[in-house]
Structure formats: structure tokens, C-alpha cells
Amino acid sequence: MGRCDLTDAEWERLRPFLPVSNRRCGRWRDHRQVIDGILHRVRTGVQWRDLPERFGPWKTVYERHRLWSADGTWERLLQQVQAAADAAGEIDWDISVDSTIVRAHQHAAGARRSAAGPRVKGGRTGGTPGRNAVAEPGRAPGGGGAAGEGLGRSRGGFTSKLHLSADGLCRPLSLIVTAGQRADCTQFKPVLEKIRVPRIGQGRPRKKPDSLAADKAYSNGPCREYLRRRGIRHTIPEKTDSQAARLRKGTRGGRPPGFDEDRYKQRNTVERTINRLKQSRAVATRYDKRGYVYLGTATAAALTIWLRT
């Protein structure tokens, strides 16, 4: 058993939620062997072609990872593990939000731009309506191929940015990938709305945290208004220029936003979560050309953190 392989207990937590064969397209290769190969690559950052032979054909491992990244299987597995933790009362819902820059390797560039329909098995394009084909996500409106794949230019050069929320025990709750130059505040609402922890049994998924802490990058009117509208208690420091503008207005500037210093000290949980994610080399450096595949890589790393915490 390798360092990255699933233990028997971890496998039993995932096994009930894995896809099963539809008996029309052949049998799946052993899920456990393939998942171990995916986690080995996520942890080490090795090229797919260089995977050890004990994981089976590298092409099978890569295609399984690409498929599960495209159809949301990794996200569903993460949500099921989160649901079990929530049912046991093991999630600290005092969350924090932040982002981190990820340097993109030269191999992450050069994704094909194709105007054709989704490509399915056998080399055909288009596909039959209703079939669960794997489609390539479209490019961002008004942007080039790199922007649509979450690649951009920032101070770090050719980069992506990983936006995330984390619970009080340093575990990711939601993840979003954008180009490296995108401002943190633009993804504040999408990150929070992506939090979705299902209930075991009946009941709606939990989407609302008890409280939230974030740094000055999220200190603006739209972010605070969104939190007030949802009734989420929050601790976000006020920017110096915003404070000066409020004071210049006098009584018309309103009261300063509330700030709990003790609660803000707990914001280090999201920084520690980022450090744990970047222990996986395929997350710390982006090698994947497609944005959705890199998001699947980060989600697989987050799933490992939940399983082993």
C-alpha cells in the first residue's frame, strides 16, 4: 500500500457513492485501483504517463479523472463525506474565506479551441440528446481560451487563482478556480453559494454558516450587503480609505461596521487549509490544461483532507 492509497476505512466511506456500470458500455475498471492512481498523481504531481504500473493503464486513470471532473462526481463525493461529518456534529460552521495564487506550469497552456460539439467515445461529436456525455465547458464570455480555462497573468506570471471557504477545522467547504488576476471580492458570492452540505435522510442541504471571517480584500459594500441579506454574522476589517471616506461624510457616513478581534484571529484556519491543499503538488502547481480538470484535482485533494482529518 502506497502513501497516497486509500485505507480500508476510507474506501468503505466512498464505495457506496461511486458510479456503477450501466451494463451497456462495458465494466468499469476497479474503482479503488483507479482512485489510488488519481490520488498518487494529485499528491506527487507526476505526469500521467509516468504513473506506476500497479495503478493499471495510465490512460484509464486519466480518463476516469477527467470524466469525474466534468460530470461533478468529485464534488458529489466531497459533499457526501461532508454530510456524514455534519450529521455527526463534526463541522465547525464558523467559516473563513480567502484565495491563493497557483503558478501554472507551461504544460497547462495550449488547450484546444474547438467550435464543435461535445466529443464522446468513438470520436463522434454532438452526441444523442439525453445521453450523459462529457462536454467541454465553454469559454468565458468576452475572453480568450486561457481566460475560459482559468488562466491569466498576475504578479506571479502565468497563474490561476483558487478561491475557497474553510470550516473551523481547516477543511475546504467549497472551491472555485479563476484566472490569477481576478479580484477576490468578485468570487465572494459564488464561493459562499457553492457551500452545500446535504442532510442524511430528509431535509434541505445546509448552505448557511454560523459566522464568517475574511480579510480586507472582501471589505466593500456589495459583500457586506450580501451577508446582511442572508443574515450571516461576519467579521471583516474596514479598509483605511473606506474609513477615511466615512469620516469625511460626518453623520452621513453612518456607523463603522462591527469588528470582533477575537473572531478575526480565527481566520488563520483558511490559511492553514490552503497550506494543507498545497501539500498536494498537482494543486500547488497547475499542470492541467482544462480549468474543470484542475478544479477536479483540487476537489480530490480536498476530499483526501476530509477523509484523513
Side-chain angles (χ1 to χ4, degrees):
M1 177 177 172
R3 291 179 57 215
C4 307
D5 293 355
L6 295 172
T7 64
D8 292 339
E10 293 165 356
W11 166 247
E12 288 302 322
R13 293 177 65 183
L14 293 181
R15 184 176 56 82
F17 310 111
L18 294 172
V20 295
S21 173
N22 58 13
R23 301 185 182 275
R24 292 182 300 175
C25 301
R27 295 190 306 169
W28 290 92
R29 190 175 184 88
D30 180 46
H31 277 320
R32 186 169 183 178
Q33 180 188 32
V34 173
I35 291 175
D36 285 342
I38 294 171
L39 296 183
H40 178 85
R41 186 263 177 179
V42 170
R43 176 73 177 183
T44 62
V46 67
Q47 292 188 15
W48 291 105
R49 294 175 182 270
D50 294 332
L51 280 175
E53 294 182 359
R54 65 187 179 91
F55 299 123
W58 71 268
K59 186 74 170 178
T60 300
V61 181
Y62 165 72
E63 287 295 338
R64 189 78 54 87
H65 178 57
R66 187 183 69 85
L67 172 66
W68 286 2
S69 299
D71 65 11
T73 298
W74 285 123
E75 293 185 1
R76 287 192 293 271
L77 290 174
L78 178 61
Q79 288 175 355
Q80 292 298 331
V81 173
Q82 291 173 343
D86 188 42
E90 297 175 353
I91 296 183
D92 184 349
W93 283 99
D94 292 325
I95 74 168
S96 301
V97 176
D98 206 350
S99 70
T100 181
I101 288 288
V102 177
R103 186 65 184 266
H105 194 271
Q106 59 184 357
H107 292 169
R112 294 181 180 178
R113 304 185 190 183
S114 175
R119 195 167 191 82
V120 296
K121 190 174 181 180
R124 296 177 290 108
T125 59
T128 304
R131 291 291 298 273
N132 188 22
V134 180
E136 304 283 357
R139 296 194 301 272
E149 301 299 342
L151 293 167
R153 297 286 178 177
S154 65
R155 290 183 179 181
F158 193 44
T159 56
S160 293
K161 183 175 281 191
L162 192 62
H163 307 260
L164 71 154
S165 62
D167 77 337
L169 298 178
C170 305
R171 297 174 297 189
L173 287 169
S174 61
L175 298 162
I176 287 179
V177 175
T178 67
Q181 74 273 12
R182 291 297 298 274
D184 293 358
C185 60
T186 62
Q187 303 304 309
F188 183 70
K189 181 178 178 180
V191 165
L192 290 184
E193 293 188 343
K194 200 173 180 182
I195 297 175
R196 185 180 184 276
V197 179
R199 308 281 188 179
I200 295 182
Q202 296 182 345
R204 296 180 179 179
R206 176 159 185 179
K207 302 179 180 180
K208 180 180 174 181
D210 292 334
S211 67
L212 178 141
D215 60 19
K216 291 184 179 181
Y218 304 93
S219 179
N220 59 34
C223 290
R224 295 184 188 275
E225 175 60 28
Y226 172 75
L227 292 170
R228 284 194 293 267
R229 188 169 63 252
R230 292 192 59 186
I232 299 175
R233 294 184 294 111
H234 55 279
T235 297
I236 304 176
E238 188 179 18
K239 292 181 179 179
T240 304
D241 56 348
S242 299
Q243 183 180 13
R246 177 175 52 79
L247 293 175
R248 283 197 303 269
K249 294 179 181 178
T251 56
R252 294 182 295 106
R255 294 177 298 177
F259 182 74
D260 185 346
E261 292 186 4
D262 292 332
R263 173 68 181 91
Y264 189 70
K265 291 177 181 178
Q266 300 175 17
R267 197 189 66 82
N268 69 84
T269 55
V270 69
E271 304 287 355
R272 290 152 60 192
T273 302
I274 291 171
N275 289 339
R276 297 180 73 178
L277 279 172
K278 286 192 171 182
Q279 292 296 317
S280 300
R281 296 191 175 190
V283 177
T285 302
R286 174 175 169 174
Y287 301 101
D288 301 304
K289 293 182 184 296
R290 297 296 184 186
Y292 73 93
V293 177
Y294 178 69
L295 179 60
T297 299
T299 305
L303 177 62
T304 305
I305 292 174
W306 278 89
L307 289 173
R308 297 176 179 175
T309 299

